Amino acid sequence: MKGKRILLGVTGSISAYKSALLIRLLVKAGAEVQVVMTESAKEFITPLTLATLSKRPALSTFVSDQNGSWNNHVDLGLWADVLVIAPASAHTLARCAHGLCDDLLSAVYLSAKCPVFFAPAMDLDMYRHPTTVENLQRLESFGNHIIHAEHGELASGLVGEGRLAEPETIVQTLYRHFAFRPALAGKPVLITAGPTQEPIDPVRYISNHSTGKMGYAIAQAFARAGADVTLVSGPTALPLPDPFVRRVNVRSASEMYEATAAAFPSAAVTILNAAVADYTPAHPADRKIKKQEATFALELTKTTDIAATLGLQKRTDQLMMGFALETNDELANALKKLRAKNLDWIVLNSLRDSGAGFGHDTNKITVIDKDEQTHEFALKSKDDVAEDLLDLVEAELNKQPAG
């Protein structure tokens, strides 16, 4: 989203107040926002509010009231990377659908060469009316995108479809638009993330310091690129990384194996980022263990090696990426994993690298591919690391024969 130029059309709807939050989210994401308002939109939110948030004058007329300068609708249409009309009233939908051009916003729409998104907002009977339905279909037939209204309580007091999609939803839609990669479109991608917890008794467990941040960043990147993402997640406090991610919550290593093995056969790409316990208590107690003896011995048994097991099942049309967090002999240990587990890539983290590993918002990785070529990356945010991994996978997918 950084540096993207977004024209935001605001029309006469009670939902216009949400445009302020939408602008705030877009600017925070690094986008440049230029507001174009209809005259009726000013009845619901002031141009000053939108201008302050966007850091640009909110335009509504062909000629500026302040200095008489010309607000060129053609230049505006050419400037934008995307035009978003949110909220889009029934009146504006009808004008755009039928090419009426009697104000600045409709002129900008007709001039725009960029993708256009309409986010309708109105009362439920207006939204369901055959005229509105036909106008939305007509706009979509022109190649425009519709961010459909949501179900909920409306300004009229009725409950139903018609309320403007939440600003966060609109922003996510734009993220996916800009991040879309044809090679990933519809590809089933399986990702594991987070720690596992191995029960000692009903109160205690064995675990590790994984927060899930890296795996969740990867899931978000692939979902925004257009992949069909299944995220098998150990316990973490992180929210769903993207509304289009299917999350399967697990706790123990055995649960993670079962969920991953079930999804693996249909996955085109599998990324095993979770920090899975290597050992689990052999005999978990069914009651809380009381503190009595001075020493306490715990018998552990090996868990299923998920990467090795899936590596034996991997087909030639499947890609698999594993992770190795090492504290010593990093490259040697990573290469050993790459070969033994039939991986296409191994992503190496070293706990000796400052800012890398568990808990950080940054990471520093070295990726070794199946040809044992090494790709080194600088320390960067985990979101940016996820994009680097996405680049590697996309390049490999592009080598595969079509179909």
Side-chain angles (χ1 to χ4, degrees):
M1 195 76 78
K2 186 177 292 184
K4 297 299 182 184
R5 296 175 295 189
I6 298 174
L7 269 177
L8 177 61
V10 181
T11 72
S13 164
I14 188 64
S15 297
Y17 77 91
K18 291 186 178 180
S19 60
L21 177 56
L22 177 56
I23 294 169
R24 182 73 186 91
L25 292 173
L26 292 171
V27 170
K28 186 177 181 181
E32 298 179 45
V33 180
Q34 173 63 65
V35 175
V36 179
M37 306 176 71
T38 63
E39 285 299 320
S40 58
K42 297 177 183 178
E43 301 294 326
F44 297 95
I45 192 166
T46 68
L48 179 60
T49 297
L50 302 183
T52 301
L53 292 170
S54 65
K55 301 177 177 60
R56 294 169 178 267
L59 309 178
S60 59
T61 58
F62 289 100
V63 179
S64 173
D65 295 332
Q66 295 177 343
N67 55 23
S69 62
W70 172 245
N71 297 322
N72 192 316
H73 58 284
V74 175
D75 286 347
L76 287 167
L78 293 172
W79 172 84
D81 292 311
V82 68
L83 167 61
V84 183
I85 302 180
S89 65
H91 182 64
T92 294
L93 291 174
R95 290 159 69 202
C96 292
H98 295 277
L100 299 181
C101 186
D102 56 355
D103 70 357
L104 182 60
L105 179 57
S106 57
V108 168
Y109 164 68
L110 290 175
S111 302
K113 295 185 179 297
C114 61
V116 179
F117 291 78
F118 288 90
M122 64 201 73
D123 207 62
L124 64 92
D125 293 318
M126 298 172 67
Y127 190 60
R128 292 174 179 169
H129 195 280
T131 304
T132 304
V133 172
E134 184 178 290
N135 286 335
L136 286 168
Q137 292 171 346
R138 186 178 175 87
L139 288 167
E140 204 163 22
S141 74
F142 297 156
N144 300 306
H145 306 272
I146 308 300
I147 305 174
H148 292 285
E150 297 179 354
H151 185 280
E153 186 176 354
L154 305 171
S156 64
L158 299 175
V159 175
E161 283 186 319
R163 64 187 292 168
L164 179 69
E166 291 300 320
E168 292 83 359
T169 301
I170 296 172
V171 171
Q172 287 287 350
T173 300
L174 294 178
Y175 266 121
R176 285 191 294 276
H177 167 72
F178 288 123
F180 179 75
R181 304 194 186 197
L184 272 297
K187 288 284 186 185
V189 175
L190 171 62
I191 299 168
T192 66
T196 62
Q197 296 176 353
E198 309 305 313
I200 297 172
D201 61 21
V203 177
R204 306 175 182 90
Y205 56 80
I206 298 172
S207 191
N208 56 63
H209 296 295
S210 174
T211 60
K213 288 181 180 180
M214 189 68 252
Y216 275 55
I218 295 169
Q220 182 182 70
F222 275 79
R224 287 176 174 174
D228 181 12
V229 176
T230 297
L231 174 63
V232 180
S233 174
T236 174
L238 298 175
L240 188 69
D242 185 277
F244 286 83
V245 169
R246 183 186 309 104
R247 181 169 60 186
V248 179
N249 294 319
V250 298
R251 184 165 297 275
S252 65
S254 62
E255 290 176 358
M256 182 162 284
Y257 166 69
E258 290 170 6
T260 305
F264 179 72
S266 61
V269 180
T270 297
I271 300 176
L272 302 173
N273 174 256
V276 184
D278 293 324
Y279 291 89
T280 189
H283 306 289
D286 58 3
R287 297 181 181 182
K288 180 181 177 182
I289 300 171
K290 299 296 183 181
K291 182 168 63 175
Q292 294 176 344
E293 295 85 358
T295 59
F296 177 73
L298 190 63
E299 182 183 358
L300 302 176
T301 184
K302 264 189 178 182
T303 60
T304 301
D305 188 323
I306 296 176
T309 303
L310 298 184
L312 292 174
Q313 304 170 18
K314 183 164 76 79
R315 304 185 306 270
T316 55
D317 63 335
Q318 291 179 302
L319 299 174
M320 198 159 83
M321 177 182 290
F323 277 68
L325 178 63
E326 303 292 343
T327 58
N328 60 282
D329 301 323
E330 290 94 336
L331 281 172
N333 286 330
L335 272 169
K336 184 177 178 181
K337 279 189 177 181
L338 177 74
R339 295 164 181 161
K341 302 185 182 185
N342 193 24
L343 299 171
D344 295 282
W345 302 272
I346 188 77
V347 182
L348 171 62
N349 292 134
S350 173
L351 280 181
R352 294 195 290 182
D353 289 328
S354 177
F358 294 140
H360 297 286
D361 292 326
T362 55
N363 205 358
K364 185 177 185 297
I365 63 169
T366 299
V367 181
I368 309 170
D369 63 30
K370 61 186 176 183
D371 297 322
E372 300 188 7
Q373 298 297 309
T374 300
H375 311 262
E376 294 189 8
F377 298 88
L379 181 72
K380 57 183 69 176
S381 74
K382 287 184 174 177
D383 288 340
D384 288 341
V385 171
E387 292 292 331
D388 290 333
L389 299 179
L390 179 59
D391 289 340
L392 292 173
V393 173
E394 180 188 32
E396 193 64 29
L397 287 173
N398 282 330
K399 295 177 185 177
Q400 295 181 348

